[in-house]
Amino acid sequence: MDAILRHITPSTVLTLADQVDYQPGQIASMTLVQNQAVSFTLFAFDKDEEISTHEANGDALVTVLDGVGRVILDGVSHELRAGQSIVMPAHTPHSVSGIEQFKMSLLVISPAV
């Protein structure tokens, strides 16, 4: 079950925040790695843009790369700034929104298939 690399070159230094650009009135995303067990995606949220409440099948780690965002996890609001992270356990309702423009990485580890 090898990971599939996308949009990145192995053995190359990169700045994650520079890999996805802000888009006015949108949420931009770029998946860098994906297979059945793991996905790693970058997001750029414009201010006030939101991914509405949902659940994921795997545990997820959000790390803010730039700006300020909000994660509402099981009804509790968390304001996150660049350099901060939060773990969202599998099957836990959550939403993500931009308090201001912000970029984040999302690592999701899915249960064994």
Side-chain angles (χ1 to χ4, degrees), residues 7-30:
H7 308 290
I8 55 175
T9 303
S11 303
T12 301
V13 175
L14 61 119
T15 302
L16 291 177
D18 294 343
Q19 303 308 303
V20 63
D21 295 322
Y22 293 113
Q23 302 294 324
Q26 296 181 37
I27 301 169
S29 67
M30 178 183 293

Side-chain angles (χ1 to χ4, degrees), residues 2-81:
D2 292 341
I4 298 172
L5 296 178
R6 300 178 182 175
H7 308 290
I8 55 175
T9 303
S11 303
T12 301
V13 175
L14 61 119
T15 302
L16 291 177
D18 294 343
Q19 303 308 303
V20 63
D21 295 322
Y22 293 113
Q23 302 294 324
Q26 296 181 37
I27 301 169
S29 67
M30 178 183 293
T31 299
L32 300 181
V33 179
Q34 186 163 19
N35 68 19
Q36 292 178 349
V38 63
S39 70
F40 185 65
T41 305
L42 304 176
F43 291 88
F45 285 69
D46 199 11
K47 182 180 178 180
D48 298 326
E49 292 301 313
E50 176 183 21
I51 296 175
S52 61
T53 302
H54 63 285
E55 296 179 15
N57 289 331
D59 293 328
L61 172 68
V62 167
T63 300
V64 176
L65 305 171
D66 182 50
V68 182
R70 175 175 288 117
V71 173
I72 299 177
L73 182 59
D74 208 15
V76 178
S77 180
H78 304 272
E79 185 174 301
L80 294 122
R81 297 179 179 279

Side-chain angles (χ1 to χ4, degrees), residues 87-110:
V87 173
M88 301 184 302
H91 309 292
T92 302
H94 61 274
S95 63
V96 181
S97 60
I99 293 174
E100 58 183 50
Q101 283 188 325
F102 91 105
K103 294 180 182 182
M104 66 175 229
S105 66
L106 175 66
L107 174 66
V108 180
I109 307 297
S110 297

